[in-house]
Amino acid sequence: MPVISVPQSFNEDDLYVDLEEIFGQSLFLKCEGFNFAGSIKLKAATEMVEAAERDGLLSADSVLVESSSGNLGVALSVIAASKGYRFLCVTDSRCNLSTRMMMEALGSRVHVITEPDPVGGFLGARIDHVRALCARDDRYVWLNQYTNPSNGMAHYRRTAPAIARQFPDLDVLFVGAGTTGTLMGCARYFREWHRPVRIVAVDSVGSVTFGGAPGRRMIPGLGTSRRPPLLDESYVDDVVCVAEADTIRACHRLARRGFVFGGSTGTVVSGAVDWLSRQQGRELTAVAIAPDLGERYLETVYQTNWVQDLYGQDVLGSPELTAASQAA
């Protein structure tokens, strides 16, 4: 039996859900939410903090600070509590209430940005606030997930090899694009692998990551209002952009079968199913990465009034959801 003394020592890395019966496409979903931070971000947070420690950037007086829409903030809160660091998360009003409460329960401070930057959106406003803090007080240490190479290295060292072990005949991997740390780490690993693997990035409509027009995005996790510095498009074979209404539908179809996942997972699954449906019957070994579970989205993605107010009365009345309800 596993026995641990620090929370970052545990992460279930080999759990997959076969989605063929639910979505009609052969697709395996890698579940990354079974750790004490509840998401894949625990890997990146651990790698970045340990790199900062090796580089001598952290001391007893240091205050970790990071801009996060939620999951990385929770992961850093877990590690800060474990290691005895102070941590300030700069987030914005789209961050789920339960996520903010989780960070505070772990002893972190949370600063919520309520007004987006006219050009850079909420992300730009969050980053500007972090920079201002660091400029006036040298106790603040910004790990900067948007440019930190340890963000991607965590997935090069851990996430991608774990997939390779379980799926030696992998043909295509679907990865959501936020900071693109997971995307780049996995893409670089499989570029060096013994067989070609097609890397498909899944983004949100309204994100500018791959050159799309900026637009409203209410579900945190994927997408961005400025191009991620970590992104190298030469490692990406295809991009699928998913409307948030389709994210909602995918989440609810999964929930009708007993799998409650987060909004990012709904986006990735929706994009993957759409991409696979256009492959003209080719038999492919396909894996998608589910960044987190759904408990922190109960007041948003799974709350009927919130969903209908933002996406219309009919968003949950699709034939697929009706069929899923009848099957359940």
Side-chain angles (χ1 to χ4, degrees):
M1 65 176 179
V3 177
I4 64 173
S5 57
V6 293
Q8 59 269 31
S9 294
F10 173 77
N11 186 77
E12 173 54 66
D13 226 3
D14 295 317
L15 179 64
Y16 296 80
V17 178
D18 184 346
L19 296 182
E20 186 166 12
E21 186 176 334
I22 302 174
F23 290 95
Q25 298 290 343
S26 180
L27 178 64
F28 297 96
L29 185 64
K30 186 179 192 306
C31 303
E32 286 282 352
F34 291 98
N35 58 53
F36 284 94
S39 81
I40 196 171
K41 290 292 189 178
L42 184 61
K43 295 176 182 177
T46 301
E47 192 84 17
M48 289 191 294
V49 170
E50 290 180 352
E53 289 174 332
R54 288 194 301 270
D55 293 341
L57 299 178
L58 296 174
S59 69
D61 293 330
S62 296
V63 181
L64 291 169
V65 62
E66 187 57 83
S67 157
S68 170
S69 61
N71 281 338
L72 183 69
V74 173
L76 285 171
S77 295
V78 167
I79 295 171
S82 171
K83 290 177 172 285
Y85 294 122
R86 289 171 293 171
F87 172 56
L88 169 64
C89 180
V90 179
T91 188
D92 62 62
S93 53
R94 297 170 300 177
C95 179
N96 298 320
L97 175 61
S98 59
T99 300
R100 300 203 301 266
M101 293 175 68
M102 176 68 76
M103 288 188 276
E104 291 169 346
L106 289 161
S108 299
R109 290 188 294 135
V110 180
H111 179 85
V112 180
I113 299 292
T114 57
E115 293 295 329
D117 180 83
V119 177
F122 277 113
L123 175 58
R126 288 182 351 220
I127 290 175
D128 287 346
H129 185 79
V130 171
R131 285 181 172 145
L133 285 173
C134 294
R136 68 172 181 258
D137 190 336
D138 60 10
R139 292 176 301 169
Y140 285 102
V141 176
W142 182 23
L143 297 173
N144 196 352
Q145 62 167 324
Y146 309 104
T147 63
N148 194 320
S150 294
N151 184 350
M153 186 56 66
H155 305 291
Y156 179 91
R157 291 177 174 168
R158 295 190 57 186
T159 308
I163 295 170
R165 285 194 304 271
Q166 298 297 326
F167 295 91
D169 57 347
L170 183 67
D171 293 306
V172 57
L173 177 65
F174 299 93
V175 189
T179 64
T180 68
T182 308
L183 175 64
M184 288 293 96
C186 290
R188 287 191 167 93
Y189 179 89
F190 283 111
R191 178 67 63 86
E192 301 168 2
W193 210 35
H194 70 277
R195 58 172 284 147
V197 173
R198 194 164 189 84
I199 302 296
V200 180
V202 183
D203 198 14
S204 302
V205 170
S207 166
V208 306
T209 298
F210 295 96
R216 184 190 74 170
R217 291 178 295 109
M218 298 303 296
I219 301 174
L222 298 186
T224 185
S225 54
R226 58 171 65 179
R227 182 183 171 86
L230 294 174
L231 177 62
D232 182 344
E233 289 190 61
S234 69
Y235 285 88
V236 178
D237 298 298
D238 251 328
V239 178
V240 180
C241 291
V242 176
E244 287 192 334
D246 292 326
T247 293
I248 297 289
R249 294 185 187 103
C251 285
H252 281 258
R253 284 184 71 178
L254 286 162
R256 296 292 196 275
R257 296 300 187 92
F259 298 105
V260 179
F261 284 103
S264 297
T265 298
T267 302
V268 173
V269 169
S270 179
V273 169
D274 176 62
W275 189 93
L276 290 168
S277 71
R278 294 185 269 111
Q279 302 312 302
Q280 300 179 335
R282 293 169 57 201
E283 292 188 7
L284 298 170
T285 299
V287 171
I289 297 176
D292 62 1
L293 302 179
E295 292 92 337
R296 295 172 192 161
Y297 299 81
L298 295 178
E299 295 178 332
T300 54
V301 169
Y302 296 101
Q303 213 286 323
T304 302
N305 290 339
W306 186 90
V307 169
Q308 292 181 342
D309 286 347
L310 289 173
Y311 306 103
Q313 295 294 314
D314 299 328
V315 67
L316 298 179
S318 68
E320 294 86 356
L321 276 175
T322 301
S325 296
Q326 292 171 347

